[in-house]
Amino acid sequence: MDWGTDLWDQYDHIEKHTQSGHDLVDRYIKFVRERTEIEQNYAKQLRSLSRKYAKRGSKEEFSNHASLQEILNELNDYAGQRELIAENMMTGICVELTKYLQDLKLERKTHLSDAKKAQQNLEISLKNLESSKKRFAKEWAEAEKATQQAEKIENDLNATRLDAEKAKQHAHARTHTAEECRNDYAAQLQKYNKEQNFFYYTEIPQIFNKMQDMDERRIRRLAEGYCQFADIEKKVLPIITKCLDGISTAGKKINEKQDSILFIEQHKSGFERPADIEFEDYIQGIKPATSDSSLNPPKARAKLWPFSKKNKAHAAEDFSHLPPEQRKKKLQAKIDDITKELQKTQDQSDALEKMKGVYEKNPQMGDPSSLEPQISETAQNIGRLRGELAKYEVITRDAAEQPPNIYTEFDDEFDDVETPVGQCTALYTFEGNSEGTVSITEGEMLTIMEEDKGDGWMRVLRASGEEGYIPSSYVKLAP
């Protein structure tokens, strides 16, 4: 079954059907284009979300923090795959189908034009047939009339022989003309029937079959576009799956015990716990305090606790502001960094010396004296680094010889009858995480119980009843 055989008289329906098919392709193109916009916006929002929650700068050491960063990185890669889907859909479906649809429209227009032209030619032939038929009918009627008139004149006794002869000649001429019109009509009829047969059995079937082929090709190409819609996403599924597996792996890598141990290693001070407070027997008279535990913090206490971010004190070069354990780690890390830099500089110096030797043996390769400034600068750097290395090795050795408890523990209780020294206002927030300190917040009113004795610390009393030491630079004295 084909259009040319079974739909030979359905030009209008074929025209509407093919137009509907083209409209469907156009509608699918618009659908895919909107899908790509959704993918692009989705990818953009995913990237923005990843940037928003990513922590840039220092490398995370805790596994649960590092895993979140890995998840955000995988999400960023996942967003890239969504962008790839959008790009491939736009180029592989929208662009290609749009170009294909343009060719289809041109082909359809050509076929419809050929069908209309064939119809017009058949209609012109039919008009010529009708015209020759009417002319034949007219001329035949005139010929019959002329013949009847000639017979009448011939039978008229009063008519002359000349009149009868003229009537016969006129009738003969009319009959001859009618015969010519009849022959012309017969020829036109034969021609029309032949053209009509060609139109209905050859020309129109060929055109309609071409349009059927065009429409079937259109359907097949559209079906490929439907499959392509899924295939494009299937191609990136392995990578998307890899991203999702990476997210799962990042979650499984978290080690809560390891994070706890790392936190301990980072922040343990190495100080000993406060000793017991001795009992003072007032029956025997007040004895002078001999306990190592005292309310008076050490003069060197300013080096014991790191301050908060606001108005952060400048870190000492020898890291003496840190607790013993943290100080040892910082000093060792500093020594390692200097050692690496020293090795790198020495390698550079050796390379320059070798190059100088090559230049001296082969002057055409370069001037040995041109390397002197670099050699001199490298030698100075080596001397400087060796000096720094020796300095930090001495500091590390001295730190190791210090007793683990470098300050006297703070007493947990203060003298109830102690008279306040004055008032002050907190300029910054201070987190009192160390032994004997107290936390304060910016703008808080505090009571001064013990002034700064030159070590950078003062003892204060909060409105909540908490009492402890804070940095003197973190408050402003009330007038």
Side-chain angles (χ1 to χ4, degrees):
M1 299 178 66
D2 55 60
W3 291 10
T5 302
D6 301 291
L7 302 177
W8 62 269
D9 56 346
Q10 299 298 320
Y11 171 87
D12 291 340
H13 287 94
I14 291 176
E15 180 183 18
K16 291 180 181 178
H17 178 76
T18 53
Q19 180 61 50
S20 174
H22 291 185
D23 292 342
L24 179 62
V25 176
D26 185 59
R27 189 151 60 100
Y28 181 63
I29 292 172
K30 291 178 180 178
F31 160 73
V32 176
R33 183 174 289 114
E34 289 192 22
R35 165 67 190 275
T36 61
E37 291 176 358
I38 291 174
E39 290 289 354
Q40 289 169 345
N41 291 333
Y42 179 47
K44 183 178 179 181
Q45 291 175 359
L46 286 179
R47 288 192 183 278
S48 177
L49 183 67
S50 179
R51 288 194 300 270
K52 179 180 178 181
Y53 287 95
K55 186 175 181 181
R56 304 189 180 279
S58 59
K59 183 180 179 181
E60 293 290 355
E61 297 180 349
F62 295 104
S63 63
N64 58 107
H65 290 263
S67 291
L68 176 59
Q69 185 61 46
E70 290 182 19
I71 289 172
L72 295 175
N73 292 337
E74 294 290 352
L75 185 64
N76 195 60
D77 294 340
Y78 176 85
Q81 297 308 309
R82 306 314 305 188
E83 290 174 339
L84 183 60
I85 290 174
E87 181 182 351
N88 291 341
M89 283 188 174
M90 179 60 71
T91 57
I93 298 179
C94 294
V95 175
E96 292 298 326
L97 272 185
T98 299
K99 182 180 179 182
Y100 181 73
L101 181 59
Q102 291 174 349
D103 295 338
L104 275 184
K105 288 180 177 179
L106 183 61
E107 182 180 354
R108 175 178 178 272
K109 183 178 179 181
T110 300
H111 293 325
L112 292 177
S113 176
D114 291 343
K116 285 184 177 180
K117 186 176 180 180
Q119 182 68 34
Q120 290 172 356
N121 291 335
L122 186 62
E123 290 175 354
I124 291 173
S125 181
L126 180 60
K127 287 181 180 179
N128 292 334
L129 176 61
E130 292 293 334
S131 177
S132 64
K133 180 180 177 181
K134 288 180 180 179
R135 188 164 60 251
F136 166 61
K138 178 182 178 183
E139 292 298 332
W140 185 251
E142 290 293 333
E144 285 186 341
K145 183 179 179 182
T147 301
Q148 291 174 0
Q149 183 66 25
E151 290 178 356
K152 183 179 180 182
I153 292 174
E154 186 178 0
N155 294 329
D156 187 2
L157 299 175
N158 296 323
T160 64
R161 192 177 185 83
L162 181 60
D163 291 336
E165 189 63 30
K166 286 182 178 180
K168 282 183 179 182
Q169 289 180 356
H170 179 68
H172 180 73
R174 280 292 181 181
T175 301
H176 180 72
T177 301
E179 287 292 337
E180 288 181 349
C181 289
R182 180 178 180 277
N183 293 335
D184 182 60
Y185 167 61
Q188 286 292 338
L189 179 61
Q190 184 179 8
K191 178 183 177 184
Y192 175 76
N193 287 334
K194 182 179 179 181
E195 290 179 352
Q196 180 178 250
N197 184 275
F198 176 75
F199 177 81
Y200 286 115
Y201 289 93
T202 303
E203 190 171 23
I204 284 299
Q206 288 179 353
I207 293 174
F208 284 2
N209 286 339
K210 288 180 180 178
M211 295 187 72
Q212 179 182 359
D213 177 69
M214 174 198 72
D215 196 61
E216 290 176 356
R217 283 188 282 110
R218 188 260 319 161
I219 294 173
R220 174 48 46 199
R221 182 63 183 86
L222 186 59
E224 292 173 359
Y226 289 166
C227 296
Q228 198 172 5
F229 184 82
D231 292 340
I232 287 174
E233 188 160 357
K234 285 181 180 178
K235 288 181 180 178
V236 300
L237 277 182
I239 303 178
I240 289 178
T241 302
K242 187 177 180 181
C243 293
L244 297 177
D245 289 342
I247 292 175
S248 299
T249 302
K252 293 176 182 178
K253 285 167 58 176
I254 295 176
N255 188 324
E256 62 276 10
K257 293 297 182 181
Q258 181 180 346
D259 284 2
S260 294
I261 294 172
L262 179 60
F263 178 72
I264 293 171
E265 291 296 327
Q266 286 182 347
H267 298 286
K268 66 178 181 181
S269 65
F271 298 144
E272 295 180 358
R273 291 178 176 81
D276 293 340
I277 299 175
E278 294 182 0
F279 176 75
E280 296 184 11
D281 191 353
Y282 287 95
I283 296 177
Q284 303 299 328
I286 299 177
K287 296 180 181 180
T290 58
S291 172
D292 291 338
S293 179
S294 174
L295 292 179
N296 297 322
K299 295 303 180 180
R301 187 172 53 249
K303 300 179 181 179
L304 298 181
W305 301 285
F307 297 150
S308 63
K309 292 182 179 179
K310 293 186 178 180
N311 198 33
K312 188 172 183 179
H314 178 70
E317 186 180 15
D318 60 356
F319 304 107
S320 58
H321 62 291
L322 297 175
E325 291 293 330
Q326 302 305 318
R327 185 187 182 193
K328 291 178 182 178
K329 291 181 180 179
K330 290 291 184 180
L331 287 171
Q332 186 58 49
K334 187 69 175 179
I335 290 174
D336 292 342
D337 291 341
I338 295 174
T339 302
K340 291 179 181 178
E341 188 177 356
L342 178 59
Q343 183 61 47
K344 181 179 178 181
T345 308
Q346 287 176 339
D347 292 342
Q348 183 180 0
S349 176
D350 294 341
L352 289 171
E353 291 293 343
K354 290 180 180 179
M355 188 178 296
K356 181 180 178 182
V358 172
Y359 286 178
E360 289 174 347
K361 294 180 179 179
N362 304 279
Q364 69 275 10
M365 297 182 65
D367 184 8
S369 60
S370 63
L371 300 176
E372 289 298 334
Q374 297 181 49
I375 294 175
S376 176
E377 181 182 356
T378 307
Q380 292 177 3
N381 289 336
I382 291 175
R384 175 181 58 80
L385 290 171
R386 285 176 176 171
E388 289 185 7
L389 182 60
K391 178 183 69 175
Y392 279 100
E393 287 176 345
V394 171
I395 294 174
T396 302
R397 187 167 56 252
D398 292 343
E401 294 173 356
Q402 291 182 357
N405 190 8
I406 61 174
Y407 68 96
T408 305
E409 296 86 348
F410 294 138
D411 199 345
D412 290 336
E413 297 180 1
F414 299 99
D415 191 353
D416 294 335
V417 297
E418 191 172 5
T419 303
V421 178
Q423 299 287 326
C424 64
T425 303
L427 296 175
Y428 314 103
T429 296
F430 172 71
E431 299 292 341
N433 296 325
S434 302
E435 182 76 27
T437 62
V438 65
S439 299
I440 61 174
T441 58
E442 183 180 349
E444 181 180 358
M445 292 295 297
L446 305 167
T447 300
I448 303 174
M449 303 304 295
E450 183 180 332
E451 294 181 337
D452 184 355
K453 296 181 180 180
D455 57 2
W457 294 82
M458 64 168 56
R459 183 158 56 86
V460 298
L461 175 67
R462 301 183 69 188
S464 61
E466 293 181 277
E467 190 172 357
Y469 285 89
I470 64 170
S472 303
S473 61
Y474 274 46
V475 299
K476 178 182 179 182
L477 299 178

